[in-house]
Amino acid sequence: MKAMSNVDIYAICKELGELLKDARVQKAYQPTKDTVLIRFHVPSKGRVDVIFQAGLRVHTTQYPPQNPKVPPNFPMLLRKYIKGGRVTGVSQHNFDRIMRIDIQKEHKFSLVIELFAKGNIILLDEDDQIILPLKRKLWQDRKISSKEEYKYPPERGINPLEIEKDQLKEIFQNSDRDIIRTLAGNGLGGLYAEEIILRSNVDKKKMASEVTDDEINALHSALNDVFKPIKTYDFHPQIVSGKKDDVLPLDLQMYSEYDKKRYETYNEASDEFYSSIIGEDIVQVHDEVWSGEVGKFEKRLAIQLATLEKFNKTVKDSKIKGEAIYSNYQNIQNIINIINEAREKHSWLEIISIIKKAKKAKTEGLEIIESIDKMGVLTLNLDGIIVNIDTGLGIPENAEVYYNKGKKAKKKIKGVNIAIAKTEEEIKKAKGKREIEMEKVLVPQKRVKKDLKWYEKLRWFLTSDGLMVIGGRDATTNEMVVKKHMENRDIYFHSDIHGAASIILKAGKDEIPESSINQAAAFAACFSSAWAKGLGSADVYWVHPEQVSKTPQSGEFVTKGAFIIRGSRNYIRGLPLTLAIGKVDYEGERIMAGPPEAVSKYTENFSSIKPGYTKKEEIAMQIKNKIDTDKMFIIEDVVRVLPSGKCDFVDKKGSKRKRR
């Protein structure tokens, strides 16, 4: 993948300097070992993601890559130090492939992004001391490690914004290479070296030390001509397509015959160019994670299958050994009798010695004895079947020992089979998740900020009777729905628990049906703190608009987003916390969350959820995969309509739960 040049970084820094001015750092992620993504909140614009890939690229992105399940240490440390910090400046160091972002909190911090060689990302304190680098490196003149002072690499090469003719001449005179390699090796790179040669009409293969004054003039003039637009920030961001694909901030003559796609900013052009080339490292990271997830269950399955085989063998062997004991009943009994008689006169050690001598003398009847231990347990070879016989027990009792062992193993087989079936299902699920996640990595989704309808900025749904229900998302919007959107014939709902949204059922022309009242009440129950607490149901009351007041009586205090309710309240108790999420056609395609009775009126394809233990993002992805087969939406569209707190899917049994 093409690494950004000095010119590219100049353009990126100029644009980011304007875009991120006074932006706040929100979060940091590390999708791969070389890549960090920082999310900023830009005043009047909102979320902006910037991707930093050490040694390769920096630009805003609408294609945020998937992040690992367990965040590495580096982004966690970035969050600790610079989260909430305000960006005060973005700059390029000496027209080199080094970017610096200054961030102000209670102290000043700086993020240095090195894009030369294999690159690095380094967090500095206000004294330019390294807090933590992405990679620790040691050179003769530079040490990139924690608690070391950060030093920029030695300056070298050509700064095309400042280079004078005499300086250019000196560079050529001191070079032992040809002209093209001299230009490329002095910081301009092969692309811009070729462009300068093209515009100067100088023979690029000529040795640099042999250039004439006229050729120096031509090269210097061409260099100024190439880079004049960046001095005035006259960028022409583009992706060129032809024999070679490239992304550029300037127009180049060498690409005059190529197809070009223009962009408003170089950040946007870079995002489209780089994000279309999926890095093998990103694929590898996620493949390793999901291979490990699948492998974990596969290892468990291998152990369970081995255990099953062991139990089956025990059942089979125990039956064979028990039957072998009965088949050799008399021979075994004779041996037991002999040993028991001998015990009256001899110790076990003496008996063991006597039996060894008797076997050596090939005494008839003792050939089946393999050994005997100090506890009087015989090991017998019954036609190739090895059994242990306790001489203190009778033949039936010895046989029963084996039969019981087989019975116990048989009972355990049932449990192992259940465990195997469960593990096989887990493997199937893990492989399914792996395919989904890897598809997301291979085909990144573009994050496009949508223009939301007024009600989408709130909580909302349509009842099965076609009435609009809206609710607050926070204290500010709680105030809004009451003060701006509640009218005389509407109904106000609130869950009877601290921490709940104000919900308004908008009245139609006719009398409000009871079904709509019940659905609005269920909606109010779901969007309350009862969900985050994992409750199964909640109580909700409703009142008329004239009962809702912001005016406190003497001694009362009303916080933002809260209201005083005067008069009697109408309670609906034991409302189940269940929401359905589906894609509906209401003023265009959009995601709607509401009671199952309401959502099912507008679509057959929906998912039902309840309070649970799964993160919203994971649930949202599964919902999106089910309801958004034509991929019209992004994951944030689903997350936006979910309640605060973790969720789980409602199973068939749970979906039939009735209101108490």
PDB file of all heavy atoms in Angstrom, residues 235-263:
ATOM      1  N   PHE A 235      -5.538  23.173  -3.220  1.00  0.00           N
ATOM      2  CA  PHE A 235      -5.504  21.726  -3.406  1.00  0.00           C
ATOM      3  C   PHE A 235      -6.536  21.276  -4.432  1.00  0.00           C
ATOM      4  O   PHE A 235      -7.591  21.889  -4.600  1.00  0.00           O
ATOM      5  CB  PHE A 235      -5.765  21.008  -2.074  1.00  0.00           C
ATOM      6  CG  PHE A 235      -4.802  21.370  -0.987  1.00  0.00           C
ATOM      7  CD1 PHE A 235      -5.249  21.819   0.249  1.00  0.00           C
ATOM      8  CD2 PHE A 235      -3.434  21.267  -1.191  1.00  0.00           C
ATOM      9  CE1 PHE A 235      -4.356  22.154   1.257  1.00  0.00           C
ATOM     10  CE2 PHE A 235      -2.533  21.600  -0.192  1.00  0.00           C
ATOM     11  CZ  PHE A 235      -2.993  22.056   1.032  1.00  0.00           C
ATOM     12  N   HIS A 236      -6.204  20.184  -5.108  1.00  0.00           N
ATOM     13  CA  HIS A 236      -7.131  19.556  -6.057  1.00  0.00           C
ATOM     14  C   HIS A 236      -7.203  18.061  -5.729  1.00  0.00           C
ATOM     15  O   HIS A 236      -6.665  17.226  -6.466  1.00  0.00           O
ATOM     16  CB  HIS A 236      -6.659  19.773  -7.502  1.00  0.00           C
ATOM     17  CG  HIS A 236      -6.618  21.215  -7.904  1.00  0.00           C
ATOM     18  ND1 HIS A 236      -7.716  21.886  -8.382  1.00  0.00           N
ATOM     19  CD2 HIS A 236      -5.603  22.125  -7.855  1.00  0.00           C
ATOM     20  CE1 HIS A 236      -7.391  23.150  -8.626  1.00  0.00           C
ATOM     21  NE2 HIS A 236      -6.113  23.319  -8.318  1.00  0.00           N
ATOM     22  N   PRO A 237      -7.871  17.711  -4.618  1.00  0.00           N
ATOM     23  CA  PRO A 237      -7.913  16.303  -4.176  1.00  0.00           C
ATOM     24  C   PRO A 237      -8.536  15.407  -5.237  1.00  0.00           C
ATOM     25  O   PRO A 237      -9.581  15.738  -5.806  1.00  0.00           O
ATOM     26  CB  PRO A 237      -8.788  16.357  -2.910  1.00  0.00           C
ATOM     27  CG  PRO A 237      -8.732  17.779  -2.461  1.00  0.00           C
ATOM     28  CD  PRO A 237      -8.619  18.588  -3.710  1.00  0.00           C
ATOM     29  N   GLN A 238      -7.896  14.252  -5.481  1.00  0.00           N
ATOM     30  CA  GLN A 238      -8.353  13.382  -6.565  1.00  0.00           C
ATOM     31  C   GLN A 238      -7.824  11.970  -6.390  1.00  0.00           C
ATOM     32  O   GLN A 238      -6.787  11.746  -5.767  1.00  0.00           O
ATOM     33  CB  GLN A 238      -7.868  13.931  -7.901  1.00  0.00           C
ATOM     34  CG  GLN A 238      -6.352  14.041  -7.981  1.00  0.00           C
ATOM     35  CD  GLN A 238      -5.865  14.857  -9.155  1.00  0.00           C
ATOM     36  OE1 GLN A 238      -5.606  14.302 -10.211  1.00  0.00           O
ATOM     37  NE2 GLN A 238      -5.743  16.178  -8.952  1.00  0.00           N
ATOM     38  N   ILE A 239      -8.582  11.040  -6.938  1.00  0.00           N
ATOM     39  CA  ILE A 239      -8.095   9.672  -7.115  1.00  0.00           C
ATOM     40  C   ILE A 239      -7.983   9.445  -8.611  1.00  0.00           C
ATOM     41  O   ILE A 239      -8.943   9.664  -9.349  1.00  0.00           O
ATOM     42  CB  ILE A 239      -9.051   8.642  -6.477  1.00  0.00           C
ATOM     43  CG1 ILE A 239      -9.050   8.784  -4.958  1.00  0.00           C
ATOM     44  CG2 ILE A 239      -8.643   7.221  -6.864  1.00  0.00           C
ATOM     45  CD1 ILE A 239     -10.013   7.859  -4.241  1.00  0.00           C
ATOM     46  N   VAL A 240      -6.781   9.032  -9.056  1.00  0.00           N
ATOM     47  CA  VAL A 240      -6.576   8.787 -10.483  1.00  0.00           C
ATOM     48  C   VAL A 240      -6.610   7.286 -10.743  1.00  0.00           C
ATOM     49  O   VAL A 240      -6.168   6.490  -9.921  1.00  0.00           O
ATOM     50  CB  VAL A 240      -5.238   9.394 -10.973  1.00  0.00           C
ATOM     51  CG1 VAL A 240      -5.244  10.897 -10.822  1.00  0.00           C
ATOM     52  CG2 VAL A 240      -4.055   8.795 -10.235  1.00  0.00           C
ATOM     53  N   SER A 241      -7.155   6.927 -11.889  1.00  0.00           N
ATOM     54  CA  SER A 241      -7.271   5.514 -12.268  1.00  0.00           C
ATOM     55  C   SER A 241      -6.709   5.331 -13.662  1.00  0.00           C
ATOM     56  O   SER A 241      -7.005   6.102 -14.576  1.00  0.00           O
ATOM     57  CB  SER A 241      -8.737   5.072 -12.242  1.00  0.00           C
ATOM     58  OG  SER A 241      -9.298   5.313 -10.972  1.00  0.00           O
ATOM     59  N   GLY A 242      -5.904   4.316 -13.817  1.00  0.00           N
ATOM     60  CA  GLY A 242      -5.310   4.012 -15.116  1.00  0.00           C
ATOM     61  C   GLY A 242      -4.368   2.853 -14.967  1.00  0.00           C
ATOM     62  O   GLY A 242      -4.681   1.860 -14.315  1.00  0.00           O
ATOM     63  N   LYS A 243      -3.170   2.981 -15.569  1.00  0.00           N
ATOM     64  CA  LYS A 243      -2.169   1.930 -15.399  1.00  0.00           C
ATOM     65  C   LYS A 243      -1.786   1.798 -13.927  1.00  0.00           C
ATOM     66  O   LYS A 243      -1.386   0.756 -13.464  1.00  0.00           O
ATOM     67  CB  LYS A 243      -0.920   2.256 -16.230  1.00  0.00           C
ATOM     68  CG  LYS A 243      -1.164   2.234 -17.735  1.00  0.00           C
ATOM     69  CD  LYS A 243       0.103   2.612 -18.477  1.00  0.00           C
ATOM     70  CE  LYS A 243      -0.134   2.643 -19.981  1.00  0.00           C
ATOM     71  NZ  LYS A 243       1.076   3.068 -20.723  1.00  0.00           N
ATOM     72  N   LYS A 244      -1.930   2.917 -13.233  1.00  0.00           N
ATOM     73  CA  LYS A 244      -1.606   2.941 -11.813  1.00  0.00           C
ATOM     74  C   LYS A 244      -2.657   3.777 -11.096  1.00  0.00           C
ATOM     75  O   LYS A 244      -2.997   4.872 -11.539  1.00  0.00           O
ATOM     76  CB  LYS A 244      -0.217   3.566 -11.619  1.00  0.00           C
ATOM     77  CG  LYS A 244       0.178   3.798 -10.170  1.00  0.00           C
ATOM     78  CD  LYS A 244       1.484   4.573 -10.123  1.00  0.00           C
ATOM     79  CE  LYS A 244       1.852   4.928  -8.686  1.00  0.00           C
ATOM     80  NZ  LYS A 244       3.068   5.752  -8.631  1.00  0.00           N
ATOM     81  N   ASP A 245      -3.184   3.257  -9.989  1.00  0.00           N
ATOM     82  CA  ASP A 245      -4.140   4.028  -9.190  1.00  0.00           C
ATOM     83  C   ASP A 245      -3.368   4.824  -8.154  1.00  0.00           C
ATOM     84  O   ASP A 245      -2.379   4.351  -7.583  1.00  0.00           O
ATOM     85  CB  ASP A 245      -5.136   3.098  -8.492  1.00  0.00           C
ATOM     86  CG  ASP A 245      -6.058   2.408  -9.489  1.00  0.00           C
ATOM     87  OD1 ASP A 245      -6.149   2.884 -10.636  1.00  0.00           O
ATOM     88  OD2 ASP A 245      -6.679   1.404  -9.119  1.00  0.00           O
ATOM     89  N   ASP A 246      -3.832   6.045  -7.895  1.00  0.00           N
ATOM     90  CA  ASP A 246      -3.126   6.898  -6.953  1.00  0.00           C
ATOM     91  C   ASP A 246      -4.098   7.908  -6.362  1.00  0.00           C
ATOM     92  O   ASP A 246      -5.170   8.164  -6.914  1.00  0.00           O
ATOM     93  CB  ASP A 246      -1.973   7.629  -7.654  1.00  0.00           C
ATOM     94  CG  ASP A 246      -0.827   7.963  -6.696  1.00  0.00           C
ATOM     95  OD1 ASP A 246      -1.044   7.891  -5.474  1.00  0.00           O
ATOM     96  OD2 ASP A 246       0.271   8.288  -7.178  1.00  0.00           O
ATOM     97  N   VAL A 247      -3.721   8.488  -5.222  1.00  0.00           N
ATOM     98  CA  VAL A 247      -4.494   9.562  -4.607  1.00  0.00           C
ATOM     99  C   VAL A 247      -3.565  10.746  -4.435  1.00  0.00           C
ATOM    100  O   VAL A 247      -2.427  10.597  -3.988  1.00  0.00           O
ATOM    101  CB  VAL A 247      -5.115   9.113  -3.266  1.00  0.00           C
ATOM    102  CG1 VAL A 247      -4.053   8.654  -2.277  1.00  0.00           C
ATOM    103  CG2 VAL A 247      -5.982  10.212  -2.671  1.00  0.00           C
ATOM    104  N   LEU A 248      -4.025  11.926  -4.819  1.00  0.00           N
ATOM    105  CA  LEU A 248      -3.164  13.110  -4.862  1.00  0.00           C
ATOM    106  C   LEU A 248      -3.900  14.348  -4.377  1.00  0.00           C
ATOM    107  O   LEU A 248      -5.114  14.472  -4.569  1.00  0.00           O
ATOM    108  CB  LEU A 248      -2.704  13.380  -6.303  1.00  0.00           C
ATOM    109  CG  LEU A 248      -1.991  12.250  -7.050  1.00  0.00           C
ATOM    110  CD1 LEU A 248      -1.963  12.563  -8.525  1.00  0.00           C
ATOM    111  CD2 LEU A 248      -0.587  12.098  -6.510  1.00  0.00           C
ATOM    112  N   PRO A 249      -3.152  15.306  -3.792  1.00  0.00           N
ATOM    113  CA  PRO A 249      -3.761  16.593  -3.449  1.00  0.00           C
ATOM    114  C   PRO A 249      -3.582  17.642  -4.552  1.00  0.00           C
ATOM    115  O   PRO A 249      -4.109  18.744  -4.454  1.00  0.00           O
ATOM    116  CB  PRO A 249      -2.996  17.005  -2.186  1.00  0.00           C
ATOM    117  CG  PRO A 249      -1.639  16.417  -2.378  1.00  0.00           C
ATOM    118  CD  PRO A 249      -1.814  15.159  -3.183  1.00  0.00           C
ATOM    119  N   LEU A 250      -2.792  17.300  -5.614  1.00  0.00           N
ATOM    120  CA  LEU A 250      -2.453  18.250  -6.681  1.00  0.00           C
ATOM    121  C   LEU A 250      -2.701  17.632  -8.055  1.00  0.00           C
ATOM    122  O   LEU A 250      -2.723  16.407  -8.205  1.00  0.00           O
ATOM    123  CB  LEU A 250      -0.972  18.644  -6.600  1.00  0.00           C
ATOM    124  CG  LEU A 250      -0.439  19.184  -5.264  1.00  0.00           C
ATOM    125  CD1 LEU A 250       1.065  19.370  -5.364  1.00  0.00           C
ATOM    126  CD2 LEU A 250      -1.128  20.492  -4.909  1.00  0.00           C
ATOM    127  N   ASP A 251      -2.841  18.475  -9.051  1.00  0.00           N
ATOM    128  CA  ASP A 251      -2.884  18.005 -10.443  1.00  0.00           C
ATOM    129  C   ASP A 251      -1.458  17.769 -10.927  1.00  0.00           C
ATOM    130  O   ASP A 251      -0.582  18.622 -10.759  1.00  0.00           O
ATOM    131  CB  ASP A 251      -3.545  19.053 -11.341  1.00  0.00           C
ATOM    132  CG  ASP A 251      -5.056  19.057 -11.207  1.00  0.00           C
ATOM    133  OD1 ASP A 251      -5.638  17.960 -11.081  1.00  0.00           O
ATOM    134  OD2 ASP A 251      -5.651  20.150 -11.207  1.00  0.00           O
ATOM    135  N   LEU A 252      -1.218  16.604 -11.550  1.00  0.00           N
ATOM    136  CA  LEU A 252       0.095  16.296 -12.097  1.00  0.00           C
ATOM    137  C   LEU A 252      -0.029  16.024 -13.594  1.00  0.00           C
ATOM    138  O   LEU A 252      -0.956  15.340 -14.031  1.00  0.00           O
ATOM    139  CB  LEU A 252       0.702  15.078 -11.387  1.00  0.00           C
ATOM    140  CG  LEU A 252       0.964  15.210  -9.882  1.00  0.00           C
ATOM    141  CD1 LEU A 252       1.654  13.955  -9.362  1.00  0.00           C
ATOM    142  CD2 LEU A 252       1.801  16.446  -9.566  1.00  0.00           C
ATOM    143  N   GLN A 253       0.949  16.536 -14.352  1.00  0.00           N
ATOM    144  CA  GLN A 253       0.925  16.349 -15.803  1.00  0.00           C
ATOM    145  C   GLN A 253       1.068  14.881 -16.184  1.00  0.00           C
ATOM    146  O   GLN A 253       0.515  14.433 -17.186  1.00  0.00           O
ATOM    147  CB  GLN A 253       2.035  17.177 -16.458  1.00  0.00           C
ATOM    148  CG  GLN A 253       1.777  18.673 -16.448  1.00  0.00           C
ATOM    149  CD  GLN A 253       2.875  19.460 -17.146  1.00  0.00           C
ATOM    150  OE1 GLN A 253       3.740  18.876 -17.822  1.00  0.00           O
ATOM    151  NE2 GLN A 253       2.845  20.778 -16.995  1.00  0.00           N
ATOM    152  N   MET A 254       1.817  14.112 -15.396  1.00  0.00           N
ATOM    153  CA  MET A 254       2.038  12.710 -15.740  1.00  0.00           C
ATOM    154  C   MET A 254       0.741  11.901 -15.725  1.00  0.00           C
ATOM    155  O   MET A 254       0.664  10.826 -16.300  1.00  0.00           O
ATOM    156  CB  MET A 254       3.063  12.088 -14.786  1.00  0.00           C
ATOM    157  CG  MET A 254       2.576  11.923 -13.352  1.00  0.00           C
ATOM    158  SD  MET A 254       3.702  10.880 -12.394  1.00  0.00           S
ATOM    159  CE  MET A 254       5.190  11.838 -12.462  1.00  0.00           C
ATOM    160  N   TYR A 255      -0.286  12.428 -15.029  1.00  0.00           N
ATOM    161  CA  TYR A 255      -1.573  11.742 -14.966  1.00  0.00           C
ATOM    162  C   TYR A 255      -2.636  12.424 -15.836  1.00  0.00           C
ATOM    163  O   TYR A 255      -3.838  12.221 -15.639  1.00  0.00           O
ATOM    164  CB  TYR A 255      -2.071  11.690 -13.516  1.00  0.00           C
ATOM    165  CG  TYR A 255      -1.299  10.746 -12.622  1.00  0.00           C
ATOM    166  CD1 TYR A 255      -1.004  11.097 -11.305  1.00  0.00           C
ATOM    167  CD2 TYR A 255      -0.862   9.504 -13.076  1.00  0.00           C
ATOM    168  CE1 TYR A 255      -0.300  10.232 -10.465  1.00  0.00           C
ATOM    169  CE2 TYR A 255      -0.153   8.641 -12.254  1.00  0.00           C
ATOM    170  CZ  TYR A 255       0.128   9.013 -10.951  1.00  0.00           C
ATOM    171  OH  TYR A 255       0.826   8.146 -10.137  1.00  0.00           O
ATOM    172  N   SER A 256      -2.199  13.233 -16.768  1.00  0.00           N
ATOM    173  CA  SER A 256      -3.148  14.011 -17.583  1.00  0.00           C
ATOM    174  C   SER A 256      -4.090  13.125 -18.395  1.00  0.00           C
ATOM    175  O   SER A 256      -5.224  13.517 -18.682  1.00  0.00           O
ATOM    176  CB  SER A 256      -2.389  14.963 -18.516  1.00  0.00           C
ATOM    177  OG  SER A 256      -1.540  14.218 -19.388  1.00  0.00           O
ATOM    178  N   GLU A 257      -3.631  11.922 -18.761  1.00  0.00           N
ATOM    179  CA  GLU A 257      -4.462  11.020 -19.563  1.00  0.00           C
ATOM    180  C   GLU A 257      -5.248  10.027 -18.697  1.00  0.00           C
ATOM    181  O   GLU A 257      -5.981   9.195 -19.223  1.00  0.00           O
ATOM    182  CB  GLU A 257      -3.586  10.243 -20.562  1.00  0.00           C
ATOM    183  CG  GLU A 257      -2.783  11.123 -21.519  1.00  0.00           C
ATOM    184  CD  GLU A 257      -3.702  12.005 -22.361  1.00  0.00           C
ATOM    185  OE1 GLU A 257      -4.751  11.501 -22.816  1.00  0.00           O
ATOM    186  OE2 GLU A 257      -3.365  13.189 -22.551  1.00  0.00           O
ATOM    187  N   TYR A 258      -5.093  10.115 -17.412  1.00  0.00           N
ATOM    188  CA  TYR A 258      -5.771   9.181 -16.500  1.00  0.00           C
ATOM    189  C   TYR A 258      -7.182   9.678 -16.178  1.00  0.00           C
ATOM    190  O   TYR A 258      -7.472  10.879 -16.245  1.00  0.00           O
ATOM    191  CB  TYR A 258      -4.994   9.050 -15.185  1.00  0.00           C
ATOM    192  CG  TYR A 258      -3.766   8.167 -15.253  1.00  0.00           C
ATOM    193  CD1 TYR A 258      -2.750   8.380 -16.184  1.00  0.00           C
ATOM    194  CD2 TYR A 258      -3.605   7.121 -14.357  1.00  0.00           C
ATOM    195  CE1 TYR A 258      -1.624   7.579 -16.225  1.00  0.00           C
ATOM    196  CE2 TYR A 258      -2.476   6.305 -14.386  1.00  0.00           C
ATOM    197  CZ  TYR A 258      -1.497   6.546 -15.318  1.00  0.00           C
ATOM    198  OH  TYR A 258      -0.384   5.747 -15.358  1.00  0.00           O
ATOM    199  N   ASP A 259      -8.050   8.732 -15.822  1.00  0.00           N
ATOM    200  CA  ASP A 259      -9.369   9.111 -15.299  1.00  0.00           C
ATOM    201  C   ASP A 259      -9.197   9.630 -13.882  1.00  0.00           C
ATOM    202  O   ASP A 259      -8.416   9.088 -13.098  1.00  0.00           O
ATOM    203  CB  ASP A 259     -10.314   7.900 -15.288  1.00  0.00           C
ATOM    204  CG  ASP A 259     -10.645   7.425 -16.695  1.00  0.00           C
ATOM    205  OD1 ASP A 259     -10.677   8.280 -17.604  1.00  0.00           O
ATOM    206  OD2 ASP A 259     -10.859   6.211 -16.876  1.00  0.00           O
ATOM    207  N   LYS A 260      -9.959  10.676 -13.563  1.00  0.00           N
ATOM    208  CA  LYS A 260      -9.837  11.281 -12.239  1.00  0.00           C
ATOM    209  C   LYS A 260     -11.208  11.436 -11.589  1.00  0.00           C
ATOM    210  O   LYS A 260     -12.174  11.799 -12.252  1.00  0.00           O
ATOM    211  CB  LYS A 260      -9.168  12.656 -12.326  1.00  0.00           C
ATOM    212  CG  LYS A 260      -7.765  12.646 -12.897  1.00  0.00           C
ATOM    213  CD  LYS A 260      -7.197  14.048 -12.942  1.00  0.00           C
ATOM    214  CE  LYS A 260      -5.799  14.068 -13.523  1.00  0.00           C
ATOM    215  NZ  LYS A 260      -5.784  13.706 -14.952  1.00  0.00           N
ATOM    216  N   LYS A 261     -11.247  11.154 -10.295  1.00  0.00           N
ATOM    217  CA  LYS A 261     -12.440  11.443  -9.511  1.00  0.00           C
ATOM    218  C   LYS A 261     -12.059  12.490  -8.483  1.00  0.00           C
ATOM    219  O   LYS A 261     -11.148  12.301  -7.691  1.00  0.00           O
ATOM    220  CB  LYS A 261     -12.975  10.186  -8.816  1.00  0.00           C
ATOM    221  CG  LYS A 261     -14.295  10.426  -8.092  1.00  0.00           C
ATOM    222  CD  LYS A 261     -14.891   9.137  -7.535  1.00  0.00           C
ATOM    223  CE  LYS A 261     -16.219   9.431  -6.848  1.00  0.00           C
ATOM    224  NZ  LYS A 261     -16.828   8.193  -6.283  1.00  0.00           N
ATOM    225  N   ARG A 262     -12.784  13.610  -8.512  1.00  0.00           N
ATOM    226  CA  ARG A 262     -12.443  14.741  -7.651  1.00  0.00           C
ATOM    227  C   ARG A 262     -13.196  14.666  -6.320  1.00  0.00           C
ATOM    228  O   ARG A 262     -14.305  14.152  -6.245  1.00  0.00           O
ATOM    229  CB  ARG A 262     -12.798  16.054  -8.351  1.00  0.00           C
ATOM    230  CG  ARG A 262     -12.161  16.223  -9.725  1.00  0.00           C
ATOM    231  CD  ARG A 262     -10.715  16.641  -9.628  1.00  0.00           C
ATOM    232  NE  ARG A 262     -10.115  16.865 -10.940  1.00  0.00           N
ATOM    233  CZ  ARG A 262      -8.912  17.348 -11.126  1.00  0.00           C
ATOM    234  NH1 ARG A 262      -8.160  17.662 -10.084  1.00  0.00           N
ATOM    235  NH2 ARG A 262      -8.425  17.520 -12.339  1.00  0.00           N
ATOM    236  N   TYR A 263     -12.572  15.239  -5.289  1.00  0.00           N
ATOM    237  CA  TYR A 263     -13.183  15.265  -3.957  1.00  0.00           C
ATOM    238  C   TYR A 263     -13.043  16.663  -3.362  1.00  0.00           C
ATOM    239  O   TYR A 263     -12.169  17.437  -3.752  1.00  0.00           O
ATOM    240  CB  TYR A 263     -12.511  14.242  -3.035  1.00  0.00           C
ATOM    241  CG  TYR A 263     -12.761  12.813  -3.459  1.00  0.00           C
ATOM    242  CD1 TYR A 263     -11.929  12.200  -4.392  1.00  0.00           C
ATOM    243  CD2 TYR A 263     -13.833  12.089  -2.949  1.00  0.00           C
ATOM    244  CE1 TYR A 263     -12.157  10.891  -4.797  1.00  0.00           C
ATOM    245  CE2 TYR A 263     -14.070  10.785  -3.339  1.00  0.00           C
ATOM    246  CZ  TYR A 263     -13.228  10.190  -4.261  1.00  0.00           C
ATOM    247  OH  TYR A 263     -13.473   8.898  -4.674  1.00  0.00           O
TER     248      TYR A 263
END
